[in-house]
Amino acid sequence: LIEVLQRVVAQLSGTYGVVVMDSRDPARLVAARSGSPLVIGCGEGENFIASDELALLKVARRFIYLAEGDLVEITHNSLSIFDSQGNAVQRDETAPQAQYHAGDKGRYRHYMQKEIHEQPIALQQTLADRINNGKIDFSELGSDVADRLANVQHIQIVACGTSYHAGLVARYWFESLAGIPCDVEISSEFRYRNPVVRANSLLITLSQSGETADTLAALRLSKTLDYLASLAICNVAGSSLVRESDMALMTKAGIEIGVASTKAFTTQLAVLLMLVAFMGKEKGRPEAVEHKIVHALQTLPIKITEILTWDNSIANLANNFYDKKHALFIGRGELYPIAMEGALKLKEISYIHAEAYAAGELKHGPLALIDKNMPVIAIAPTNPLLEKLKSNIEEIRARGGELYIFTDKEAVFNESERVKTIQLPQVDDIIAPIFYTVALQLLSYHVALIKKTDVDQPRNLAKSVTVE
């Protein structure tokens, strides 16, 4: 049967994960992977095939991730792996990345709700062992990591969806805090154009699953180009993206089951911010910059715990959205990508059409949409851009818009029947994007509850996008 599958696979193109059983010999399975992930679960006197180890955590404690093009033949007590050329090969076994009880909802109604509330612990895990004596420690990347990253003169980030928004936030951080030029591009666009690679450019890929088809294709394309190195930031240690990158930093968020990403996003941002501090130091930025970032990161789990206490207030606010068809999110600076992420979360799980704009762009078109039926969500912490944002908010108020302003206790806004403020605790500007993300996650979750949509498995979407 394995020989038959080898001949068939040679004629196939595209992305697939195939498992074949002969009804006359049901104790033997053969499988092949191209693009889509396959993992072997090794149990006690039994073996399994699945697309994700999460499906096998209750029955297997050892896992083997197949490489691209691999074929495998398994029985209950044997296992043979062949590469794309038909040669017998060995693949490393790995321990499970999480315990099976991590998939239990516990006291929570939905996985998404659970994962929102797990963020303080997830962020603690992300930071653990990476901050020593007030400095960022990335020794996990090897003893020569400082030398390798010191040569970087440009950063190219590629990602999809929520991970793309994390990259957009990081662009502000890399340029303002580390002084390193940074570009961010959607993976599906990057892979289908002819990019000009800047000198000594580091490619950073972001993916929760590490199996995102377009991001993997972008990484593979980069190997034919003149990039200095590739670095994956990912939540799954055995994933294709991690295995095929020169370096990898794990987000350590734990299992994320809800399709709409929450803790995977905030931990990506935490890793990126640590990387900004580390690379800034290697590029000769003042030590005070690293110290400021480290201090802000160390306060982050406590601050996220604090914002979760606003859950009931945000749930009450969500009652204003149940009959809305559209929503507009605005922000400035590094909060603009967070507005984009807030809009994405709302549309993903509540099916309300939502868009985000840089607040300074309102006069260039979006103001035409403003009326009493268009709620506008503004992210307005106290920072150097607040006065500019207040001017944009007044433009909306003057046109009868319905405003919901997420801000802090130091900012002053004039409330009215059509202007509501949600005054959150004040946080350091550096971590404000991560902090305000959680408030928008809660808003989207509670709107979805009211609309009675499928929070964890929204229609037409999948957790891991393994096809183009």
Side-chain angles (χ1 to χ4, degrees):
L1 191 59
I2 191 71
E3 294 175 1
V4 172
L5 185 60
Q6 286 172 332
R7 292 200 297 269
V8 170
V9 165
Q11 301 176 60
L12 300 180
S13 62
T15 299
Y16 55 83
V18 177
V19 181
V20 181
M21 182 182 72
D22 184 344
S23 62
R24 295 165 298 181
D25 184 15
R28 185 179 310 276
L29 298 177
V30 296
R33 70 154 291 182
S34 174
S36 295
L38 282 181
V39 59
I40 309 301
C42 304
E44 295 298 328
E46 52 187 355
N47 293 311
F48 306 85
I49 304 176
S51 60
D52 193 302
E53 72 171 44
L54 179 60
L56 304 177
L57 284 174
K58 291 187 179 182
V59 293
R61 307 313 300 155
R62 294 174 293 124
F63 297 92
I64 298 173
Y65 284 87
L66 298 184
E68 183 70 7
D70 277 357
L71 289 83
V72 64
E73 180 179 43
I74 72 169
T75 68
H76 73 283
N77 61 3
S78 67
L79 174 66
S80 301
I81 302 175
F82 305 89
D83 65 17
S84 58
Q85 305 303 312
N87 303 311
V89 293
Q90 297 290 325
R91 300 299 183 205
D92 294 336
E93 288 188 1
T94 63
Q97 300 301 309
Q99 301 301 316
Y100 71 83
H101 56 73
D104 297 334
K105 288 197 279 284
R107 63 186 178 89
Y108 296 101
R109 187 172 173 182
H110 297 94
Y111 286 116
M112 182 181 179
Q113 182 188 25
K114 175 176 179 279
E115 288 152 11
I116 289 172
H117 286 264
E118 283 177 343
Q119 286 176 114
I121 295 174
L123 287 162
Q124 287 175 352
Q125 293 171 171
T126 303
L127 301 177
D129 302 323
R130 287 169 167 164
I131 296 178
N132 290 317
N133 299 318
K135 297 183 180 298
I136 302 298
D137 182 352
F138 277 152
S139 54
E140 63 196 274
L141 294 177
S143 57
D144 64 339
V145 60
D147 293 335
R148 294 177 75 179
L149 296 182
N151 295 324
V152 173
Q153 296 177 5
H154 172 260
I155 290 170
Q156 175 67 61
I157 297 176
V158 291
C160 300
T162 286
S163 295
Y164 171 66
H165 298 156
L168 291 175
V169 175
R171 178 176 62 184
Y172 287 92
W173 286 338
F174 274 117
E175 296 194 347
S176 65
L177 298 172
I180 303 173
C182 179
D183 292 308
V184 188
E185 191 159 2
I186 297 169
S187 304
S188 57
E189 291 296 315
F190 177 87
R191 64 179 289 199
Y192 287 118
R193 66 181 185 86
N194 297 313
V196 176
V197 181
R198 298 198 197 183
N200 294 321
S201 182
L202 172 69
L203 182 84
I204 297 178
T205 56
L206 304 173
S207 171
Q208 185 279 138
S209 67
E211 302 293 347
T212 309
D214 285 316
T215 304
L216 267 172
L219 171 64
R220 290 163 184 164
L221 171 64
S222 75
K223 295 180 183 298
T224 68
L225 305 173
D226 195 22
Y227 281 97
L228 191 66
S230 60
L231 168 65
I233 296 177
C234 184
N235 195 38
V236 182
S239 63
S240 301
L241 194 71
V242 170
R243 294 198 310 271
E244 295 182 29
S245 296
D246 298 324
M247 300 176 284
L249 289 170
M250 308 314 301
T251 54
K252 305 180 185 179
I255 290 175
E256 186 179 72
I257 295 175
V259 167
S261 183
T262 52
K263 63 179 180 175
F265 176 66
T266 51
T267 53
Q268 279 180 349
L269 288 174
V271 170
L272 284 163
L273 189 50
M274 284 189 283
L275 187 62
V276 167
F278 186 86
M279 294 186 69
K281 178 180 64 176
E282 299 306 318
K283 302 299 288 185
R285 303 294 276 189
E287 284 190 5
V289 174
E290 182 182 21
H291 292 162
K292 184 176 181 181
I293 292 173
V294 166
H295 174 72
L297 284 169
Q298 288 174 324
T299 67
L300 187 55
I302 295 173
K303 289 295 184 182
I304 299 301
T305 300
E306 197 172 351
I307 199 172
L308 291 172
T309 65
W310 261 255
D311 193 14
N312 289 337
S313 298
I314 294 174
N316 292 332
L317 180 70
N319 289 308
N320 297 302
F321 286 77
Y322 77 94
D323 61 340
K324 304 302 182 186
K325 303 294 185 184
H326 310 277
L328 187 65
F329 288 71
I330 61 171
R332 297 194 77 128
E334 60 267 42
L335 278 306
Y336 167 45
I338 300 306
M340 297 172 69
E341 175 63 13
L344 177 61
K345 284 292 160 284
L346 190 65
K347 72 178 78 168
E348 276 183 312
I349 64 171
S350 73
Y351 313 148
I352 293 175
H353 171 243
E355 298 298 334
Y357 278 89
E361 282 288 290
L362 285 173
K363 288 191 289 289
H364 298 277
L367 276 180
L369 298 172
I370 301 301
D371 62 19
K372 63 181 181 180
N373 298 312
M374 173 69 81
V376 180
I377 298 92
I379 309 166
T382 301
N383 64 22
L385 291 172
L386 178 60
E387 292 306 314
K388 294 290 185 183
L389 185 55
K390 282 185 175 181
S391 175
N392 304 134
I393 287 171
E394 286 304 316
E395 293 173 336
I396 296 168
R397 187 203 300 265
R399 289 158 178 82
E402 186 177 287
L403 273 157
Y404 300 92
I405 305 170
F406 285 83
T407 185
D408 56 55
K409 294 180 180 179
E410 287 202 4
V412 178
F413 290 90
N414 297 320
E415 282 210 16
S416 66
E417 182 181 350
R418 304 196 65 80
V419 179
K420 307 295 183 187
T421 61
I422 303 90
Q423 290 190 315
L424 302 172
Q426 190 170 21
V427 295
D428 193 298
D429 287 354
I430 293 175
I431 58 170
I434 307 174
F435 180 79
Y436 279 86
T437 289
V438 179
L440 299 182
Q441 291 171 354
L442 290 170
L443 176 64
S444 298
Y445 174 74
H446 287 294
V447 172
L449 281 187
I450 294 167
K451 293 180 70 68
K452 298 180 180 180
T453 59
D454 191 335
V455 173
D456 288 330
Q457 295 179 301
R459 67 190 183 198
N460 307 328
L461 299 179
K463 182 60 181 170
S464 181
V465 183
T466 58
V467 295
E468 289 190 51

